[in-house]
Amino acid sequence: MHSEKSKNIGIRLIAMLLDYVIITFGVAIVGIIFIGVGVIIFDNLNLPSSVDLLFTVLSIIFMICLCSIYLNKDAIKGKSLAKRIFGLIIVNDKTGDIAKPIETCLRNVTLLFWPIEVIFIIISPQRRIGDYIAGTKVIDDNKSLNTKISKRQIIISMLLGMLLIITIGILQFAIFNFDVINKILKASL
């Protein structure tokens, strides 16, 4: 039993790290290409500042989409690329069915606090904080579960991911600019 738990911990940690590396490098490569092309196009054309503003807004939207993809890395059939490699799957803790895309998105929000999640994986190899929030767990994939893909659920989950990222961004802005916001509010009263 102890060796099985150690094996599960090791696989979960390696899968988590591999997912992180894949997504980080994927986002970095795509981001560098996007920003590089934008800089080449916009810097060499001497366009008005409104076009610069448009590029900035498009860059922010693009990054929100990339972050939503990270939150939804497990949305297709309850598996990320690393989970497919290691034969793992995310299931609903109560029903045992493959986790819905929205459940996988919710469970991945806590990856923003990944050091805490690593500690939870060591303590509980099948369930991390995100699993408790979403009502999911990770199990070995024996390929017996129904793997029907709901495009509608994936789209809704992507939109939820974008909404979550925007909300986190607004909260982060508010926290780091609390003094400025406080001054504005006092001036308006």
Side-chain angles (χ1 to χ4, degrees), residues 67 70-71 108-115 117 164-165 168:
C67 289
Y70 183 69
L71 293 180
N108 287 332
V109 169
T110 59
L111 288 176
L112 298 170
F113 312 104
W114 66 267
E117 288 288 36
L164 289 168
I165 293 299
I168 290 167

Side-chain angles (χ1 to χ4, degrees), residues 89-128:
I89 189 166
I90 302 168
V91 297
N92 182 289
D93 188 43
K94 290 189 175 40
T95 66
D97 294 334
I98 294 175
K100 292 178 176 55
I102 291 171
E103 292 171 329
T104 63
C105 179
L106 287 176
R107 93 183 266 283
N108 287 332
V109 169
T110 59
L111 288 176
L112 298 170
F113 312 104
W114 66 267
I116 297 169
E117 288 288 36
V118 168
I119 293 167
F120 261 78
I121 288 176
I122 293 169
I123 295 168
S124 174
Q126 284 191 324
R127 299 188 80 193
R128 56 180 178 80

Side-chain angles (χ1 to χ4, degrees), residues 14-175:
I14 291 169
M16 185 183 216
L17 178 64
L18 183 58
D19 273 339
Y20 182 76
V21 168
I22 290 168
I23 294 292
T24 301
F25 281 114
V27 166
I29 290 168
V30 171
I32 288 169
I33 290 170
F34 183 77
I35 291 170
V37 168
V39 167
I40 291 168
I41 290 172
F42 291 117
D43 279 356
N44 292 329
L45 296 179
N46 295 324
L47 298 171
S49 62
S50 61
V51 176
D52 282 342
L53 177 62
L54 175 66
F55 180 70
T56 302
V57 170
L58 289 175
S59 296
I60 291 169
I61 291 169
F62 181 71
M63 290 309 294
I64 289 169
C65 291
L66 288 177
C67 289
S68 181
I69 289 170
Y70 183 69
L71 293 180
N72 286 284
K73 66 185 178 62
D74 303 305
I76 298 174
K77 299 183 181 182
K79 302 177 198 177
S80 62
L81 184 57
K83 284 179 190 66
R84 291 174 199 285
I85 291 169
F86 291 104
L88 302 171
I89 189 166
I90 302 168
V91 297
N92 182 289
D93 188 43
K94 290 189 175 40
T95 66
D97 294 334
I98 294 175
K100 292 178 176 55
I102 291 171
E103 292 171 329
T104 63
C105 179
L106 287 176
R107 93 183 266 283
N108 287 332
V109 169
T110 59
L111 288 176
L112 298 170
F113 312 104
W114 66 267
I116 297 169
E117 288 288 36
V118 168
I119 293 167
F120 261 78
I121 288 176
I122 293 169
I123 295 168
S124 174
Q126 284 191 324
R127 299 188 80 193
R128 56 180 178 80
I129 298 169
D131 288 312
Y132 285 102
I133 291 170
T136 58
K137 66 181 176 182
V138 175
I139 63 170
D140 290 329
D141 184 9
N142 61 12
K143 313 271 191 245
S144 66
L145 296 171
N146 180 8
T147 57
K148 181 181 168 192
I149 297 175
S150 170
K151 292 177 186 169
R152 182 173 168 260
Q153 286 183 358
I154 292 172
I155 290 169
I156 291 169
S157 184
M158 288 295 293
L159 293 172
L160 174 65
M162 290 178 196
L163 182 63
L164 289 168
I165 293 299
I166 291 168
T167 303
I168 290 167
I170 290 170
L171 289 173
Q172 182 179 8
F173 177 81
I175 289 168

